[in-house]
């Protein structure tokens, strides 16, 4: 009997009392997902627009009224990169000149010059107005797709009218009757100084390509243009 009691006592001593449960590890700290914000779209500079316009031979698209300027007819051309519009496409040259360049991948650029003599016969120092505007590609909220190089003249007219009525974000600068102007509209307002820096040299001393595009469009105007009605 003694040995049985001793055996039972030994067995009870071997049973260990369970300790407290192991602590549950704390969850890792919350890390918000990384949001990749695309960099601001690069401006379509005046230099780039003119270079694109001169990058290859032009195919004539058509002649007709243009947005906000229905008395003076415009002539449109295309190459492999852009559509080029001579907004004052008159047979007899007037003292103002404007070119609009539409890129399917970069947006739109407008360059305007005016002097006391026809622009193709003078240089920058003889302009009393020389200004420009850049408009990025329209965003989805604009409800307007990028321009396409296959557009007919009537399709291009309609596109430009819709673009104008959409009041899209844009930046502008230069001089108007010797008075400096500049700024950016809507979402681009904080980037006015950036646009001015990119295009300052062109507006102060345009490159040879500027004078070349003026002369080439004026030459074609004698063939495709119409005088003011």
């Amino acid at each position: 009997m003694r040995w049985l009691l001793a055996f039972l006592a030994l067995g009870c001593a071997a049973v260990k009392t369970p300790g407290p449960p192991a602590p549950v590890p704390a969850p890792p700290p919350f890390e918000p997902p990384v949001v990749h914000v695309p960099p601001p779209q690069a401006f379509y500079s005046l230099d780039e627009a003119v270079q694109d316009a001169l990058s290859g031979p032009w195919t004539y698209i058509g002649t007709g009224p243009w947005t906000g300027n229905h008395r003076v007819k415009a002539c449109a051309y295309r190459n492999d990169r852009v559509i080029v519009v001579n907004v004052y496409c008159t047979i007899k040259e007037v003292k103002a000149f404007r070119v609009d360049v539409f890129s399917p991948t970069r947006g739109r650029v407008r360059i305007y010059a005016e002097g006391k003599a026809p622009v193709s016969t003078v240089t920058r120092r003889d302009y009393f107005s020389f200004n420009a505007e850049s408009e990025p590609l329209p965003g989805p909220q604009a409800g307007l797709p990028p321009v396409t190089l296959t557009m007919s003249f009537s399709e291009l007219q309609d596109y430009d009218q819709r673009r104008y009525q959409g009041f899209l974000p844009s930046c502008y600068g230069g001089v108007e009757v010797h008075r400096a102007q500049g700024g950016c509209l809507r979402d681009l307002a904080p980037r006015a100084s950036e646009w001015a820096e990119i295009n300052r040299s062109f507006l102060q001393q345009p490159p040879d390509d500027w004078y070349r595009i003026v002369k080439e469009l004026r030459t074609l105007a004698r063939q495709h243009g119409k005088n003011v009605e």
Side-chain angles (χ1 to χ4, degrees):
M1 188 67 178
R2 289 181 179 178
W3 66 267
L4 180 59
L5 294 174
F7 177 78
L8 292 173
L10 182 62
C12 291
V15 176
K16 295 183 179 180
T17 304
V24 178
F30 173 74
E31 295 184 3
V34 177
V35 178
H36 296 283
V37 179
Q41 183 179 355
F43 285 118
Y44 193 22
S45 73
L46 311 185
D47 272 311
E48 290 172 318
V50 170
Q51 289 170 12
D52 284 347
L54 296 173
S55 64
W58 296 333
T59 299
Y60 174 61
I61 300 174
T63 299
W66 198 242
T67 308
N69 193 33
H70 290 269
R71 290 185 65 245
V72 180
K73 300 300 186 284
C75 300
Y77 307 86
R78 71 165 62 90
N79 62 19
D80 291 339
R81 294 188 186 178
V82 292
I83 290 176
V84 181
V85 181
N86 177 3
V87 178
Y88 301 115
C89 192
T90 55
I91 298 172
K92 180 181 179 181
E93 186 174 2
V94 296
K95 296 178 182 179
F97 176 87
R98 174 179 153 192
V99 60
D100 291 3
V101 179
F102 293 84
S103 167
T105 60
R106 299 298 306 280
R108 168 186 168 272
V109 159
R110 169 192 61 77
I111 309 175
Y112 175 85
E114 187 173 359
K116 294 182 179 180
V119 172
S120 71
T121 66
V122 295
T123 59
R124 170 66 184 88
R125 65 182 181 181
D126 300 305
Y127 303 166
F128 55 76
S129 292
F130 190 45
N131 50 67
E133 177 186 39
S134 294
E135 197 174 77
L137 292 174
Q141 70 278 6
L144 188 68
V147 73
T148 63
L149 298 180
T150 57
M151 283 181 170
S152 66
F153 189 81
S154 61
E155 289 172 333
L156 185 62
Q157 285 174 308
D158 179 69
Y159 181 91
D160 191 65
Q161 182 70 29
R162 292 166 60 201
R163 177 206 62 76
Y164 178 79
Q165 294 174 342
F167 190 54
L168 303 179
S170 63
C171 292
Y172 62 95
V175 294
E176 180 74 25
V177 193
H178 300 300
R179 296 183 63 179
Q181 57 175 214
C184 292
L185 305 176
R186 301 187 65 182
D187 297 345
L188 294 176
R191 302 179 64 188
S193 59
E194 178 187 350
W195 188 93
E197 182 62 29
I198 291 171
N199 297 297
R200 180 175 290 111
S201 62
F202 187 104
L203 291 168
Q204 291 178 347
Q205 190 63 45
D208 290 342
D209 279 349
W210 162 250
Y211 299 108
R212 177 185 164 195
I213 198 172
V214 172
K215 291 184 181 299
E216 292 192 10
L217 286 174
R218 281 304 314 151
T219 298
L220 288 171
R222 300 186 189 102
Q223 179 181 353
H224 302 132
K226 293 184 178 180
N227 286 329
V228 179
E229 297 176 353

